[in-house]
Amino acid sequence: MAEDKQTARFLSSYHWTKERDGFGGYSGISLTPNGAGFIIVSDRAHLIEGTIFRHGDRIIGVRSAEMAALNIPDDLFLDPSVQDTEGLAKDNQGRLYISVESTNRVLCRDITGVWTALPDHPGLRALPHNQGLEALAIDGDGTLFALPEFSESLQVPFPVFRYRQGSGWDVPMSISRNEGFLPVGADVGPDGKLYVLERGFSGFGFSSRVRRFDFLNGYSFDGETLLTTEPRRHDNLEGLSVWAATDGTLRLTMISDDNFFFLQKTEIVEYAVS
């Protein structure tokens, strides 16, 4: 299928398979600056770490450790039986941030392994169940950004929540809502801009879009569309990590959530942005 005119150039798609209980359901990914090492979170509160191997611009293999439970204390969930972990971000100090969609809160694991919940915010509390915080991103200064897949109507933009140590949460900007796409992943690239992965769904399958935004307080805007795919071009892409290759191009690495459904697959997809 032909894709819309766009800035991003397709590099490769890798179908990742493992004979392992609980494999799949991956909703967030964070890569090391060189794009090789990864941390991936599943929506069942597990992490998996490993390495992506490439030949030129093409992914040729993935090696990973065993999946590890996040071991988040039960008292950080409203319902410990539902640990719907979706967004993932890791700061320069090694702290790990996870968004829990079912309760619309963000949890932090410090470098000693201790979990705490970030403070609450009225806008987060107002998000509906299972339509909440899907995407997390963090910049080089440790400022955290969280995006829900919900806005109040088809004409209302998506809020971008920001958390800063010592200042707490605010909502400095929003991004437009259109064409049936909802935010599911995000990252702050090496260029300091916000990249947002969005998902659309029709009866024919999933489509994906990536937009890039400058940080402008008080603005709601469309950003720059880098990538739009036709339905079924890729699987259910939910996680996004942005990094710089040695040739200076930015790379968009995305992973799909197979929903533990046999007709779907775990797919790692890469595009280049000049």
Side-chain angles (χ1 to χ4, degrees):
M1 296 181 185
E3 293 178 353
D4 296 341
K5 184 179 179 181
Q6 54 197 15
T7 303
R9 172 174 56 90
F10 174 72
L11 296 178
S12 71
S13 173
Y14 182 81
H15 182 190
W16 187 19
T17 60
K18 269 192 178 296
E19 295 298 326
R20 165 185 298 175
D21 288 341
F23 179 83
Y26 298 126
S27 55
I29 183 170
S30 176
L31 297 183
T32 54
N34 66 357
F38 66 76
I39 300 176
I40 294 169
V41 67
S42 83
D43 55 16
R44 294 185 178 177
H46 284 81
L47 280 184
I48 187 167
E49 300 187 48
T51 304
I52 297 174
F53 297 94
R54 301 175 181 86
H55 179 72
D57 288 335
R58 184 168 154 268
I59 298 174
I60 58 172
V62 175
R63 183 173 63 199
S64 66
E66 293 297 316
M67 290 186 298
L70 285 169
N71 292 322
I72 301 170
D74 286 348
D75 61 4
L76 294 181
F77 296 97
L78 294 180
D79 180 358
S81 67
V82 181
Q83 299 188 8
D84 188 8
T85 50
E86 291 286 345
L88 168 70
K90 186 178 182 181
D91 70 14
N92 293 334
Q93 308 302 314
R95 288 183 289 255
L96 198 68
Y97 295 86
I98 300 287
S99 64
V100 182
E101 185 185 19
S102 57
T103 54
N104 294 312
R105 67 192 328 193
V106 177
L107 309 179
C108 175
R109 188 182 73 185
D110 67 20
I111 59 174
T112 69
V114 175
W115 286 96
T116 56
L118 297 190
D120 203 355
H121 180 274
L124 299 179
R125 285 199 305 269
L127 294 172
H129 176 75
N130 204 38
Q131 285 185 297
L133 295 181
E134 277 273 347
L136 290 182
I138 198 161
D139 68 14
D141 295 328
T143 299
L144 185 73
F145 301 91
L147 287 85
E149 62 171 342
F150 171 84
S151 71
E152 293 180 356
S153 76
L154 296 177
Q155 290 74 44
V156 174
F158 299 101
V160 177
F161 295 92
R162 176 177 61 184
Y163 181 81
R164 293 174 290 180
Q165 294 287 341
S167 301
W169 290 102
D170 64 354
V171 185
M173 57 181 277
S174 57
I175 64 174
S176 62
R177 176 172 180 169
N178 54 57
E179 300 181 35
F181 285 97
L182 305 176
V184 290
D187 196 14
V188 176
D191 56 359
K193 296 184 179 182
L194 177 66
Y195 291 74
V196 179
L197 168 63
E198 299 168 290
R199 174 183 60 202
F201 181 75
S202 69
F204 299 102
F206 296 100
S207 54
S208 300
R209 180 172 70 181
V210 176
R211 289 190 288 169
R212 176 166 60 189
F213 301 87
D214 290 304
F215 290 108
L216 298 172
N217 287 350
Y219 281 77
S220 171
F221 53 108
D222 294 331
E224 176 188 4
T225 299
L226 305 177
L227 163 69
T228 307
T229 69
E230 297 286 347
R232 299 181 65 182
R233 176 68 174 88
H234 301 298
D235 209 288
N236 176 30
L237 298 179
E238 283 202 8
L240 169 68
S241 188
V242 184
W243 54 284
T246 55
D247 63 2
T249 61
L250 292 180
R251 303 297 172 91
L252 312 175
T253 299
M254 293 164 279
I255 190 165
S256 68
D257 178 356
D258 66 358
N259 293 304
F260 302 100
F261 183 48
F262 73 99
L263 291 178
Q264 293 182 246
K265 61 184 178 181
T266 298
E267 182 183 16
I268 301 176
V269 176
E270 293 193 326
Y271 284 78
V273 181
S274 301

